[in-house]
Amino acid sequence: NHAKFKPSDSATFTPSGQSHTVSYGSGAVTIVLGSDTLRIQSITVTNQELGLSQDEPTQPFYFADFDGILGMAFPSLAVGGMATALEGMLEQNQLAEPVFSFYLSR
């Protein structure tokens, strides 16, 4: 019941062939790793590593009001040692400082 990323529709997606299981407090998700171009407004990061959900439990992911997760964890917590989105932005000089924030609204 979610929008899905289709790797075959992306001209820049490259699969890595590796898979991992990511454990959350509410369950675990099996992901396959790859890389693609990440764009958030005016920020563009090429070859950003990402994980595509392959197998996930029904609860709570199926019923969640979101289509994916953008990991903003500390690098030491990243799956398989992959670079986080923030690291990719900094490495490719897309941010002036290693700072991000969120604005939540209804």
Side-chain angles (χ1 to χ4, degrees):
N1 69 341
H2 294 281
K4 296 179 181 175
F5 172 72
K6 296 179 184 136
S8 60
D9 289 349
S10 173
T12 55
F13 179 79
T14 305
S16 77
Q18 295 179 333
S19 65
H20 290 276
T21 299
V22 181
S23 297
Y24 297 97
S26 53
V29 175
T30 301
I31 61 169
V32 173
L33 300 180
S35 62
D36 206 344
T37 300
L38 170 68
R39 287 191 183 92
I40 301 174
Q41 297 225 0
S42 63
I43 297 170
T44 299
V45 181
T46 58
N47 297 314
Q48 176 62 51
E49 293 177 291
L50 52 95
L52 304 177
S53 174
Q54 296 296 300
D55 183 40
E56 58 190 43
T58 302
Q59 293 288 344
F61 300 103
Y62 183 82
F63 299 106
D65 289 332
F66 57 83
D67 295 325
I69 298 171
L70 177 63
M72 299 299 282
F74 291 109
S76 61
L77 299 174
V79 173
M82 63 195 283
T84 64
L86 184 61
E87 285 180 292
M89 292 174 197
L90 291 168
E91 288 171 5
Q92 295 183 28
N93 298 315
Q94 295 293 310
L95 297 177
E97 297 181 59
V99 176
F100 68 90
S101 65
F102 295 95
Y103 175 76
L104 304 175
S105 71
R106 293 182 183 244

